[in-house]
Amino acid sequence: MHTDDTRYKALIRQWFNGGESDDEARELHALLQDSGRYPELMSALEAEYGSLDVADFPEARAKALAGQITGSPVVERKGRVRFLRGWRLAAASVALVVGVAAYFWSVREQDQGAPAGGAEAAIQPGRQGALLTLADGSQVSLDTVQNGTIALQGGVAARVVNGVLTYEGDGTEIVYNTISTPKGRQYHITLPDGSGIWLNAASSIRYPVSFAKGAREVAITGEVYFEIVAGKARPFTVLAGDKARVQVLGTRFNINAYENEKYLAATLLEGKVRTIPGRDAAKAGVILRPGQQAQIAGTMPSGISVTDNADIEKVMAWKNGLFNFNGATLAEVMQQLERWYDIEVVYENGVPDKKLTGKMTRDIPLEGLLLGLQELGVNCRLEGRRLTVLP
């Protein structure tokens, strides 16, 4: 047995029993900040399932979550009231608690067996996949393609290598492809110049299969993360509909341009970009520094505003396999769930004025996630793929 696995089990056992030391609580908190540790944590949780006091678990979980949301430094466990410092609340985080909720839900489903005839299957989380539209208009589903040549266009071969779409060869003509992800899908491609592109759910990018010598230009919808290969002689430009033009020299940045968001957000992680409202390349726009976010909306007097010290972790959560709901309104959370789980969200009596906090992995079934949200005071009714948010 690996030392890490043994340590994870000990930390989880101590946390649920309420016997962890200050150092152990800090250690668990640090682990929860690393999404790469979640599989090991969940594996350790599964191994410890039989020894956990599950009779008290739901109340303990609810109390811990309530403490995070309200800031109340109290959590009750096994008849005791414990006073917690700020970092201890973080250790009782949504990331683990909702993962635990999902785990217990999955165990319950396994114990009950497969759905009976006519019963609906659980709504699974999104996964890798996309639709590729070739230059001749034909379409190829990439949902299950891991390796292989897809097409030869204008002297360039489109190939999938280990689940990533790539382009090889020198183009003899300028032809365009479009990658689109429906709800419940995300995808990674490598552009002809070697730049990496990641599409969130319900997004698209249109691009040439080989770039001309003088410029590189693509058009997007939805949310896309870019890692652009530098090339001063060939500036890179991203068009986000009629909302914005982003001009780039080698850099890493994210653009959220969903139509149902209140503004377009361009967030710079590394390098330098010029963000221009609209499509007019002659406008001066705003040059961003790393850590800044440009927000563009028609309701803004100048059309654009800049936020310093953007929450990069929150912006990039989708690419890192997480939901990050820190400071998010309930409406914003539900928009993310609509896109990732391919569901329709409606409100029975208006949108509740509620903000959430915490992180959770994006790889759990919807029903497991709803268990966690219920403990946050968000009550819903799921009928098929229609989720009704109750008052």
Side-chain angles (χ1 to χ4, degrees):
M1 182 178 295
H2 295 296
T3 301
D4 284 350
D5 184 55
T6 302
R7 183 58 180 162
Y8 295 158
K9 290 178 182 179
L11 288 172
I12 289 170
R13 188 183 311 115
Q14 290 289 83
W15 189 85
F16 276 100
N17 291 333
E20 81 283 5
S21 67
D22 287 1
D23 287 343
E24 286 171 333
R26 291 191 181 95
E27 184 178 354
L28 180 58
H29 180 200
L31 289 170
L32 290 168
Q33 308 312 304
D34 182 358
S35 61
R37 299 281 188 173
Y38 289 163
E40 289 84 357
L41 284 168
M42 293 308 297
S43 176
L45 173 64
E46 181 172 357
E48 287 298 292
Y49 174 63
S51 63
L52 293 176
D53 189 350
V54 297
D56 290 341
F57 171 72
E59 181 179 1
R61 181 181 66 204
K63 294 283 188 180
L65 286 165
Q68 272 220 83
I69 304 224
T70 64
S72 172
V74 178
V75 61
E76 184 177 343
R77 205 177 297 159
K78 294 193 175 180
R80 313 196 301 274
V81 174
R82 308 182 64 222
F83 292 86
L84 312 177
R85 288 182 282 276
W87 54 262
R88 179 62 183 82
L89 288 175
S93 78
V94 177
L96 179 61
V97 173
V98 173
V100 170
Y103 173 71
F104 279 97
W105 177 85
S106 67
V107 168
R108 182 199 69 194
E109 291 297 299
Q110 291 169 9
D111 290 343
Q112 292 176 349
E120 296 185 14
I123 295 179
Q124 297 301 320
R127 55 190 173 86
Q128 296 297 311
L131 186 67
L132 170 64
T133 301
L134 301 172
D136 62 3
S138 60
Q139 295 184 321
V140 180
S141 172
L142 302 177
D143 282 17
T144 59
V145 180
Q146 285 297 306
N147 292 282
T149 299
I150 301 299
L152 183 64
Q153 309 161 95
V156 177
R159 292 193 174 98
V160 176
V161 180
N162 296 326
V164 179
L165 181 64
T166 63
Y167 290 84
E168 300 175 4
D170 297 324
T172 57
E173 58 181 311
I174 302 299
V175 296
Y176 287 83
N177 282 184
T178 299
I179 284 278
S180 56
T181 51
K183 290 181 179 180
R185 298 289 186 274
Q186 63 183 39
Y187 203 72
H188 175 199
I189 71 172
T190 301
L191 292 180
D193 65 345
S195 296
I197 308 294
W198 287 259
L199 280 76
N200 201 349
S203 303
S204 71
I205 181 169
R206 182 177 184 269
Y207 53 93
V209 300
S210 63
F211 288 112
K213 293 182 178 180
R216 296 174 289 172
E217 185 173 286
V218 301
I220 70 163
T221 65
E223 185 167 23
V224 183
Y225 170 67
F226 297 82
E227 292 187 352
I228 301 303
V229 172
K232 293 184 178 180
R234 294 194 301 163
F236 194 99
T237 301
V238 180
L239 300 178
D242 294 326
K243 293 181 179 180
R245 172 186 290 267
V246 178
Q247 298 174 337
V248 186
L249 295 174
T251 191
R252 298 192 296 131
F253 62 102
N254 188 81
I255 299 179
N256 183 334
Y258 286 116
E259 289 295 332
N260 61 351
E261 298 287 357
K262 59 185 177 182
Y263 51 73
L264 177 146
T267 309
L268 183 64
L269 281 71
E270 180 183 291
K272 181 171 66 176
V273 299
R274 182 190 305 275
T275 305
I276 303 170
R279 298 176 67 96
D280 188 356
K283 289 183 179 180
V286 173
I287 295 178
L288 297 183
R289 300 190 308 272
Q292 290 186 321
Q293 181 182 90
Q295 300 170 353
I296 297 175
T299 57
M300 296 176 179
S302 63
I304 187 170
S305 67
V306 175
T307 299
D308 294 322
N309 301 316
D311 189 342
I312 300 298
E313 184 179 358
K314 184 177 180 180
V315 170
M316 297 308 303
W318 71 268
K319 179 180 175 291
N320 296 328
L322 296 173
F323 291 114
N324 185 327
F325 296 146
N326 288 334
T329 65
L330 181 59
E332 291 169 340
V333 169
M334 290 300 160
Q335 286 176 348
Q336 293 188 49
L337 299 192
E338 277 191 313
R339 291 190 286 257
W340 189 234
Y341 289 96
D342 189 13
I343 59 174
E344 176 191 9
V345 175
V346 297
Y347 298 88
E348 187 167 86
N349 189 23
V351 183
D353 184 15
K354 185 186 296 286
K355 285 193 174 183
L356 305 182
T357 188
K359 307 169 190 174
M360 58 190 78
T361 62
R362 302 208 319 168
D363 60 355
I364 62 176
L366 176 63
E367 288 83 351
L369 185 145
L370 294 179
L371 260 178
L373 290 183
Q374 184 177 2
E375 301 298 351
L376 297 176
V378 180
N379 295 304
C380 303
R381 182 176 64 248
L382 182 62
E383 301 168 302
R385 304 195 81 88
R386 183 184 179 92
L387 182 69
T388 301
V389 180
L390 305 176

